[in-house]
Amino acid sequence: MAAIHGDVHGHGHDDHHPTGIMRWITTTNHKDIGSMYLWFSLAMFFTGGFLALGIRAELFQPGIQILEPELFNSFTTLHGLIMVFGAIMPAFVGFANWQVPLMIGAPDMAFARMNNWSFWLLPVAASLLVSSFFVPGGAAAGGWTFYPPLSTQGGLGVDMMIFAVHILGASSIMGAINIITTILNMRAPGMKLMDMPLFVWTWLITAYLLVLVMPVLAGTVTMLLTDRHFGTSFFNAAGGGDPVLFQHIFWFFGHPEVYIMILPAFGIVSEIIPTFARKPLFGYSSMVYATASIAILSCVVWAHHMFTAGMPTVGQLFFMYSTMLIAVPTGVKVFNWTATMWRGSMTFETPMLFAIGFIFLFVIGGFSGVICAIVPIDIQVQDTYYVIAHFHYVLVSGALFSLFAGAYYWLPKWTGHMYDETLGKWHFWLSMIFFNLTFFVQHFLGLAGMPRRIPDYALQFADFNMISSIGAFGFGMSQLLFVYIVIKCVRSKEAAPEKPWDGATTLEWTHLPTPAPYHSFEKPPVFKPVSH
Amino acid sequence: MRNKSVATLAGMSVLALYSSMAVGSKYNFPEPQSVIAQDIYDQHIVLLWICLAIFIGVFGVMFYSVLKHRKSLGYKAANFHHSTTVEVIWTVIPCLILVAMAWPATKTIIAMKDTSSPDMTIKATGYQWMWGYDYLQGEGEGISFFSKLSTPRAQLQNREPKGENYLLEVDNNLVVPVGKKVRIILTANDVIHAWWVPALGIKQDAIPGFIRDTWFTADNPGIYRGQCAELCGKDHGYMPIVVEVLDEAAYAKWAAEKLVGTSSAVNLAAVSTEMAASGADEAVEAAEENSDNN
Amino acid sequence: MSQDTGHYYVPAPSTYPITGSAALLFLGFGAALTMNKIELGYGLLAIGFAILFYMCFRWFGTVAAESESGKYGLDVDKSFRWGMTWFIFSEVMFFAAFFGALYYMRVLSIPWLAGESEVLGQAAWGAYEGGWPTTGPSDHYEAFTPMGAWGLPAINTAILLTSGVTITYAHWALKENRRDALNKWMLATILLGVLFLSCQIYEYVHAYNDLNLKLDSGAYGSTFFMLTGFHGFHVTVGTIMLIVIYFRCAAGHFTPDRHFGFEGVAWYWHFVDVVWLGLFIFVYLL
Ligand code: HEA
Ligand code: HEA
Ligand code: CUA
Ligand SMILES: [Cu+2]
């Protein structure tokens, strides 16, 4: 991704951009910024993965081996935070940076300088998070959900996490505003909203979710901060507040947040499936409406994370019903993808493999989600490894697999080189096998009664934990292959075909050379709508 | 691409296995010991079958397509991309399935929430890191004790072989009679904990400064083990719950003996107010302490 | 000035963003350390703020210069509109979190603490009676007198509403190219903003000294000061923005048909106005 040749110069731009490190620090180019987002998120994925391996190593056997309980909790907490805010979200923003302007025929993002800032806030937040491991008192250890009063205890590390979250929030909000504005204002002439590729649609809706909920997160952590240091009583019963209030506000953010991490994934998959089925996407408009419905519903389901916190019966019923309802629009998407594949003329290059793997495993995760949504069952599985299994199915084999799919799909366009197809397939199959090894057995652990966030467990959980740990190390190692493939692709000398995927129909493939020039769409492309 | 169908088959047989597991196996919930736990168990099995059926339906079609509609077989792509009829059908059917799922769940929720007219009431208080129990009403009223992990440290640190009930054993079991409706009132002294006994089908957070309740009626005498289910700090993994269910006579005997050891009955209101007020101060102190140590 | 080149203006590479990030690096570490009473923190905070002000000054200065030199086409203008709209929306959501907390405490958690819930049946706090305003059930907090609505707060409401009118007059003047009136109305708006802030400072002093109402006065103190405090902070930012715009007006910036810098700030000002109305009703009146 680093190697971008063939600048097409034109007026209206300042072409004398600095070289070397200053190019990356000062850049206002959406492609440079997109690449930085992607590399950053890869680094964070490995950092979070390193923590995950620490967790899995400790859980390999009963007893305390390598991580003392408090440090274990810090590992879990920072693993969650870094994966969510450092790996998955920035990766999707990276895709948006690269692809949104290309797919709508825009010269760049609407606010190019602010775009740079959105990115360069991330390393700042990451350094706050990572260095908090080394301060007195250690890193935050209250879980990525940092419920008070537990997070009211704890020292400097918690404050560093709070400010990191503030900064991440600022970055996300600026990024979201940029994406919304770009999409609303900078589409190629003639491209109506309902002509936009689905990836663009899903990002538009995701960006709305971001501006809706990130400020709420900022508010929550601010209240936590003042409760910790300035004597306010938002989450303290003694002063009239309520620890559960925190949970409501957090999950008002937190649940839409999980859809923020999956809607762009749906978008990527919706681009890839038609391309490799050589057949138009089935039900374009119902896909758009389904995405919007998921987003809207996601704002009224938050308390399904709080079924054991104690809530009036009507509350439990409301949140159970509304949560279950999300299965309907999500199902529509799954069915539409299936119908797109039906009677297509399919080939199975790596992006398609990851896309199909995504659907297959995401649906398993979706089902376990629906099972969690049934209050009586959730009473049993809440805060157990069943939930861990649920959300790794939707996050790892969901969000992460879609990111791999998208990376393989667009790497030729970005770098001008083809990735190694054989290695790509290896990456897929290894990931597929080890992923399931790691997380499928966690369903059993949860059902049998293993709580989450514990450094040690009773003996009856030993064998599944061992399997899970072996799977995790296998999965981690398989990801080294991905890094190798990407570097090999970037460094490769061979030019990729202009249009490696014959089924692709979006602007970046039809209207731009491969690799995409440094300044794309100096002049807006002529857009011809296809009928849906 | 044969291996994909093999993988699918393998995945599905695992799923099938998963759902047909015998009661109490390590692939499923522990054997239910109360009406609610039984409801939960049954509903979970039904849901699994429903999900499995949908799964086979959807991926049956998809993998048929994957196997047959491929370019390498010379299959030519069709060009349809829309059908209002099927889209309506596959929106409506999931809705109906969901209603079928929600119906029994709703009934169970209402039953779960009904803590009225208990035979006895016990207050459980979460502390970092142990449980306190006060028998407030019913036979044994006035009993009060703490219950902490009894697994020796040496076992945790792998210096001794681990016992059978490693991490799931306490110094003082919570003892209750069989077949009686026991209402558990929950609160916490410092941070949020959760009181969870899987076999009895109950889990409820204990929130500092607030009171929550839940209930169970144990079907059979026995010992049922559970754990704190809300991250509560360093020793969250080390605050198990052990409920010992005795038949009525044995319980009466236990209660009588225990009461001799307990000097005076506990006044809930007085204790809890004092507890919660000091809880606030303690939280502050603990926060200060925490930033210093390590 | 606003020729449309047909090209969307993409700014040249810039060091402002990384400067801003450096500022936040200092601020983030500085604030975390300060909160934990570690000396080093104050220094870091000071450096952070210094860099931040420098960055804002230069960055906004550049934007104003670019705007004046006609680099922004109509498309860019529209982008600014969308951008500002959604920024203000995100600010609304920020306040929503605090209003939500206020609502939750008053309507739910305090009655629960007072033992009003049929689910819980048993009060944890003995004789606590709830009600509003309250310091909460614990006797840990000292008694205070709540802030009345019809004194200063009502005056402040009038001040802020008036400033909404004056800025609209300024806008009309700008659109009709009456520059003198523009400058005068802008000045009036700024003065009202400053007046509002002064009243609020006075109110806070009064609360602390006379009413014993403090940030740590339980639920009431927490929500009162956090809501009015964040609002006050937004008014401060708004006033600074107004001052900047005033100097730009005085320097002859903006034309009757192209003046988004002015409008954006006016939108922002109306937004703080509306938030204040919410505060006046939910924090002071009810
Ligand atoms: C990308 C992230 C993502 C996604 C997409 C989802 C999707 C869903 N999630 Fe998940 N969830 C998380 C991430 C995600 N979740 C995380 C991170 C947590 C834990 C947080 C924490 O505590 O740390 C969590 C926790 C969580 C809980 C709380 C569990 C607990 O703590 O006790 C619940 C409960 O209702 C839940 C439900 C659901 C549901 C119903 C969906 C639905 O959207 C799924 C819908 C999809 C399908 C159902 C499959 C396809 C549909 C069909 C084929 C149609 C036919 C189907 C039917 C009729 C059933 N999730
Ligand atoms: C969003 C994404 C996301 C992703 C991608 C992952 C990825 C993984 N997660 Fe998880 N996880 C969460 C989000 C995510 N997670 C969240 C939100 C929680 C809840 C936290 C909480 O409870 O608060 C959680 C919790 C969680 C737990 C429960 C911890 C506990 O309750 O105590 C476990 C345990 O197995 C786990 C495991 C894993 C594993 C094995 C991976 C693997 O997929 C990771 C694979 C990747 C690698 C292993 C990287 C490769 C690294 C190497 C090869 C080593 C090289 C080393 C160096 C360069 C130094 N995660
Ligand atoms: Cu107590 Cu976890
Ligand atoms: Cu959720």
Side-chain angles (χ1 to χ4, degrees), chain B residues 249-260:
Chain B
Y251 177 76
K253 185 159 163 279
W254 175 86
E257 278 167 17
K258 196 82 181 172
L259 268 174
V260 179

Side-chain angles (χ1 to χ4, degrees), chain A residues 251 254-256 258-259 298 301-305 323 326 390:
Chain A
W251 288 115
H255 187 80
V258 307
Y259 292 98
S298 79
V301 302
W302 73 86
H304 65 218
H305 296 273
T323 304
I326 297 194
H390 156 61

Side-chain angles (χ1 to χ4, degrees), chain B:
Chain B
M1 285 301 140
R2 255 309 94 102
N3 39 357
K4 175 162 298 156
S5 45
V6 174
T8 319
L9 268 178
M12 285 182 179
S13 43
V14 171
L15 264 180
L17 208 69
Y18 177 24
S19 56
S20 58
M21 282 307 148
V23 161
S25 87
K26 66 196 230 181
Y27 300 98
N28 204 339
F29 287 133
E31 195 180 339
Q33 298 293 342
S34 74
V35 183
I36 298 285
Q38 186 67 51
D39 278 0
I40 295 174
Y41 189 96
D42 295 343
Q43 284 177 34
H44 176 245
I45 295 289
V46 171
L47 253 73
L48 266 181
W49 283 113
I50 296 179
C51 288
L52 191 64
I54 305 174
F55 195 84
I56 291 174
V58 174
F59 290 99
V61 173
M62 185 182 291
F63 284 106
Y64 177 84
S65 179
V66 164
L67 290 176
K68 298 282 168 171
H69 304 155
R70 42 172 71 216
K71 202 180 168 199
S72 55
L73 298 178
Y75 199 90
K76 290 274 173 307
N79 197 32
F80 63 88
H81 50 71
H82 186 76
S83 161
T84 311
T85 325
V86 294
E87 288 179 69
V88 169
I89 292 175
W90 70 41
T91 312
V92 173
I93 291 181
C95 288
L96 298 177
I97 297 176
L98 291 175
V99 173
M101 290 175 165
W103 181 255
T106 305
K107 285 199 284 198
T108 309
I109 295 173
I110 292 169
M112 274 168 35
K113 281 287 183 180
D114 178 16
T115 50
S116 59
S117 43
D119 297 316
M120 61 186 290
T121 304
I122 302 173
K123 179 170 140 221
T125 308
Y127 297 86
Q128 281 170 321
W129 292 270
M130 61 182 164
W131 291 96
Y133 297 112
D134 300 288
Y135 288 59
L136 296 181
Q137 170 253 318
E139 192 174 2
E141 184 173 329
I143 297 176
S144 167
F145 56 86
F146 291 108
S147 173
K148 288 200 186 72
L149 179 74
S150 61
T151 307
R153 275 221 95 71
Q155 288 190 17
L156 308 190
Q157 291 158 349
N158 310 312
R159 283 184 279 113
E160 252 177 36
K162 302 189 186 339
E164 189 196 354
N165 292 316
Y166 179 65
L167 295 188
L168 294 179
E169 51 203 349
V170 292
D171 51 2
N172 294 308
N173 294 349
L174 177 71
V175 181
V176 296
V178 71
K180 290 271 156 56
K181 181 168 186 178
V182 181
R183 177 175 180 235
I184 303 282
I185 291 185
L186 283 134
T187 186
N189 186 51
D190 30 48
V191 302
I192 304 176
H193 303 263
W195 203 80
W196 177 35
V197 184
L200 300 174
I202 57 174
K203 180 189 289 147
Q204 173 60 55
D205 289 3
I207 318 255
F210 287 83
I211 287 192
R212 299 288 144 100
D213 67 349
T214 181
W215 69 275
F216 67 87
T217 303
D219 291 343
N220 303 299
I223 291 188
Y224 306 115
R225 297 171 198 278
Q227 277 173 277
C228 174
E230 181 64 55
L231 178 59
C232 52
K234 179 164 70 67
D235 288 348
H236 161 58
Y238 305 113
M239 51 184 293
I241 293 145
V242 181
V243 178
E244 187 176 345
V245 180
L246 300 177
D247 62 43
E248 247 173 273
Y251 177 76
K253 185 159 163 279
W254 175 86
E257 278 167 17
K258 196 82 181 172
L259 268 174
V260 179
T262 313
S263 47
S264 69
V266 197
N267 177 322
L268 165 72
V271 169
S272 59
T273 314
E274 184 194 307
M275 171 284 293
S278 68
D281 300 337
E282 268 165 35
V284 176
E285 276 159 31
E288 277 158 12
E289 248 169 56
N290 258 26
S291 43
D292 297 339
N293 62 27
N294 184 55

Side-chain angles (χ1 to χ4, degrees), chain A residues 104-307:
Chain A
I104 64 174
D108 206 297
M109 296 291 277
F111 305 108
R113 253 184 316 235
M114 186 171 88
N115 199 16
N116 175 305
W117 202 24
S118 309
F119 171 75
W120 279 106
L121 284 177
L122 294 179
V124 173
S127 62
L128 273 165
L129 283 179
V130 173
S131 63
S132 71
F133 269 110
F134 308 102
V135 301
W144 83 285
T145 51
F146 47 92
Y147 285 2
L150 184 58
S151 57
T152 318
Q153 307 179 342
L156 181 55
V158 179
D159 296 304
M160 293 171 77
M161 179 205 75
I162 289 176
F163 289 114
V165 169
H166 273 127
I167 294 172
L168 289 163
S171 161
S172 287
I173 291 170
M174 286 194 286
I177 291 175
N178 222 329
I179 291 170
I180 294 176
T181 307
T182 309
I183 295 174
L184 291 184
N185 197 28
M186 297 175 70
R187 294 190 308 278
M191 185 187 274
K192 300 212 178 51
L193 284 177
M194 286 310 264
D195 296 326
M196 297 193 309
L198 258 168
F199 178 69
V200 180
W201 253 119
T202 51
W203 242 117
L204 178 63
I205 291 167
T206 304
Y208 279 127
L209 279 181
L210 278 168
V211 288
L212 186 80
V213 302
M214 289 312 284
V216 175
L217 176 67
T220 330
V221 291
T222 307
M223 289 182 229
L224 186 61
L225 185 77
T226 57
D227 266 19
R228 281 170 58 78
H229 294 292
F230 303 110
T232 56
S233 315
F234 289 104
F235 310 130
N236 177 0
D242 185 349
V244 177
L245 166 61
F246 175 90
Q247 302 180 15
H248 280 292
I249 316 182
F250 180 87
W251 288 115
F252 179 81
F253 146 80
H255 187 80
E257 166 70 17
V258 307
Y259 292 98
I260 288 167
M261 292 187 283
I262 206 67
L263 294 183
F266 291 163
I268 292 175
V269 169
S270 303
E271 299 301 333
I272 290 174
I273 299 282
T275 299
F276 292 89
R278 294 171 179 74
K279 193 163 150 283
L281 182 69
F282 187 88
Y284 173 90
S285 39
S286 63
M287 282 301 225
V288 173
Y289 298 137
T291 312
S293 320
I294 295 174
I296 293 166
L297 277 173
S298 79
C299 297
V300 295
V301 302
W302 73 86
H304 65 218
H305 296 273
M306 303 162 55
F307 284 146

Side-chain angles (χ1 to χ4, degrees), chain A residues 410-421:
Chain A
W410 281 304
L411 263 175
K413 179 55 63 182
W414 296 342
T415 63
H417 311 301
M418 203 60 195
Y419 62 87
D420 186 325
E421 189 62 61

